[in-house]
Amino acid sequence: MASLYSQVPSVSAVFSLYTSFSAITMLFRTILNEIVPKRIREYIAMKAVDFFSSYFQSSFTFVIEQRWEFVENQTFRAAEVYLPTRLAGLSTGKLLVGSSNLKNPAAEPKLGIPVNTKIIDEFEGIHLEWTLHSVETKKYLPEKRYFHLTCKKEFREKIMTDYFTYLAKSAEKIMSHRENLKIYTYNQDRSKWESAIFEHHTTFETLAVEPELKKTLIDDLDAFSKGKEFFKSVGRAWKRGYLLYGPPGTGKSSMVAAIANHMKYHIYDLQIQSVRDDGELREILTSTKNRSILLIEDIDCGADASRRRQTKKKEGDGGEDDGEPQKRKKKFEVGISLSGLLNFVDGLWSSCGEEKIIIFTTNHKEKLDPALLRPGRMDVHILMDNCTPFVFKKLVALYLKTDEHVLFDPIEKLIIEVSSTPAEVTQQLMASKDADIALKGLLEFLENKKMKKEEDSSVEEEGEIEDAETKEAET
């Protein structure tokens, strides 16, 4: 025992050894910093970490960011859709719940994906852990969101080849059976689309349009939804463009709602008049999701607003500075160009995303540039016209729940003689739930409209006669 204690070094000896080792280490570190460049030192350190990690770390993590090459990362989108079905596998005793159903506050809330909480999934016996992360960015910019998917290292290749394919197909199946649709509007201050529940109840069953038009449109939409391989085989982007044109009040918005409900597509409502320039337009449009409708209403007004801003910029060139920073002035005065819009609708940028429907609406088709109207940009032109006898009967059946009435014949004759929009007819039908009262009110409305039309024609004829007499007197 005494010999054992005699072999233990003294404290002073240990301290002396530690001091010598520290001195040698500091000397070696100084020489290394002086001789080896910083980038090479960082590279060596990185390789050393990777080397030891490969031996001591058994897990592997996939990072799935929200944006990928200027567009939304479709793998991120698939995870957003799929993971709410796996929330029973949360690693903690908390759930994110909420409801945006303004019409039914008592409705059961939906489950959301909580941040920084593990969600457990299993694929062919492989244990997987998902975590959603969110990082604050600069002011007025949306937060940076990304998923971490962690698995054992030996399953890395299988996850890449099989699981992500399963994830995409599962999300596609879930989206094809959407219960709640959303309508998006673009928040320029935050540079992001913001959504609300879309609960417009118009469908093709309730839409008051001519049956031939309805059948043609439904057939075209169904063919588009099944046309992935066709579009791929002919080398075209999987998208479809529709132009809805006609007088105000002819049901263009209802038609958009019927298309959205039929296709189960979300709607992105873009106020193109407020878009500042082509760069912002490209950023806005590429951030829309697949299986969606991009709605650009009053496209003729958007073109007019852009021309006014460009004219204003030209008139201001060379003028006195009003004290406003030049960068800000340019930001609000340039506006979008026709080529900027066409480049997304039918140019190289049109290939960003797929299964998208672009709907333009206008009250004045004749004001549109012919370059916008050609096939490939606006493939289908749909005239939303004034009320017809068929549309009138459809509206009566919807609002008054009747298919026959003694006032049908005189009303139908007036509808043919007098131009009235479906909105005007609907307004009269909603005046009372009593069919007699409502139809009598509609008849009086149409008769008054006919009388005004005859009076206007009479005044116009008198004016033409006076002009002719004046010319004869002058000659």
Side-chain angles (χ1 to χ4, degrees), residues 118-297:
K118 288 183 180 179
I119 300 174
I120 308 303
D121 193 20
E122 187 173 311
F123 176 71
E124 296 183 5
I126 303 172
H127 179 82
L128 302 170
E129 294 182 357
W130 284 92
T131 309
L132 174 63
H133 298 276
S134 178
V135 179
E136 292 293 332
T137 56
K138 295 180 181 179
K139 192 176 181 181
Y140 300 123
L141 293 178
E143 72 274 15
K144 181 179 180 181
R145 302 170 71 229
Y146 56 93
F147 283 107
H148 276 181
L149 171 59
T150 303
C151 64
K152 286 188 177 180
K153 191 176 297 181
E154 59 262 33
F155 299 122
R156 170 182 170 178
E157 292 301 323
K158 186 171 184 61
I159 297 302
M160 282 292 296
T161 56
D162 296 344
Y163 180 70
F164 283 126
T165 302
Y166 162 78
L167 179 70
K169 290 182 177 179
S170 298
E172 185 176 4
K173 184 177 180 179
I174 293 170
M175 286 191 290
S176 66
H177 295 86
R178 288 170 175 161
E179 293 182 2
N180 292 326
L181 300 180
K182 294 180 180 180
I183 184 167
Y184 291 81
T185 184
Y186 192 76
N187 186 325
Q188 286 183 314
D189 292 334
R190 300 185 64 191
S191 299
K192 64 179 294 187
W193 288 99
E194 296 180 341
S195 66
I197 295 295
F198 180 72
E199 292 186 317
H200 201 298
H201 298 296
T202 299
T203 64
F204 281 118
E205 289 297 321
T206 62
L207 187 66
V209 295
E210 294 293 330
E212 295 81 6
L213 172 60
K214 183 186 298 186
K215 183 180 185 306
T216 300
L217 185 54
I218 291 176
D219 290 346
D220 189 79
L221 290 168
D222 291 343
F224 168 77
S225 66
K226 301 172 184 176
K228 182 175 183 178
E229 294 303 321
F230 169 76
F231 281 92
K232 183 178 179 180
S233 67
V234 298
R236 290 187 57 187
W238 190 12
K239 63 179 183 61
R240 195 72 168 157
Y242 295 89
L243 173 65
L244 308 183
Y245 67 99
T250 51
K252 292 186 282 294
S253 297
S254 296
M255 176 67 81
V256 174
I259 293 174
N261 286 324
H262 180 77
M263 300 295 287
K264 300 296 182 184
Y265 284 6
H266 297 315
I267 298 175
Y268 289 84
D269 185 11
L270 176 61
Q271 302 298 316
I272 201 167
Q273 298 91 332
S274 62
V275 179
R276 294 161 184 160
D277 52 39
D278 291 346
E280 185 179 47
L281 178 67
R282 185 162 53 247
E283 180 181 349
I284 290 172
L285 297 181
T286 54
S287 60
T288 59
K289 298 172 183 177
N290 292 343
R291 295 181 57 82
S292 64
I293 294 171
L294 174 64
L295 174 61
I296 302 179
E297 296 186 279

Side-chain angles (χ1 to χ4, degrees), residues 378-416:
M378 297 184 184
D379 303 289
V380 181
H381 297 200
I382 301 172
L383 172 61
M384 304 298 294
D385 211 344
N386 289 312
C387 197
T388 64
F390 175 85
V391 171
F392 157 69
K393 288 183 177 180
K394 179 71 173 180
L395 292 172
V396 171
L398 286 172
Y399 288 93
L400 301 179
K401 310 302 180 186
T402 182
D403 296 325
E404 295 181 358
H405 198 277
V406 293
L407 295 179
F408 272 16
D409 287 340
I411 290 177
E412 288 180 21
K413 291 178 181 178
L414 285 171
I415 283 177
I416 295 173

Side-chain angles (χ1 to χ4, degrees), residues 300-335:
D300 54 300
C301 297
D304 291 342
S306 181
R307 280 193 292 268
R308 285 196 300 269
R309 284 184 294 203
Q310 290 173 349
T311 302
K312 183 177 179 182
K313 180 178 182 294
K314 291 178 182 178
E315 291 174 351
D317 289 345
E320 295 182 1
D321 188 3
D322 59 1
E324 188 178 12
Q326 290 297 321
K327 184 177 181 180
R328 185 179 176 188
K329 287 173 68 178
K330 182 178 180 181
K331 187 177 183 181
F332 287 94
E333 292 177 3
V334 173

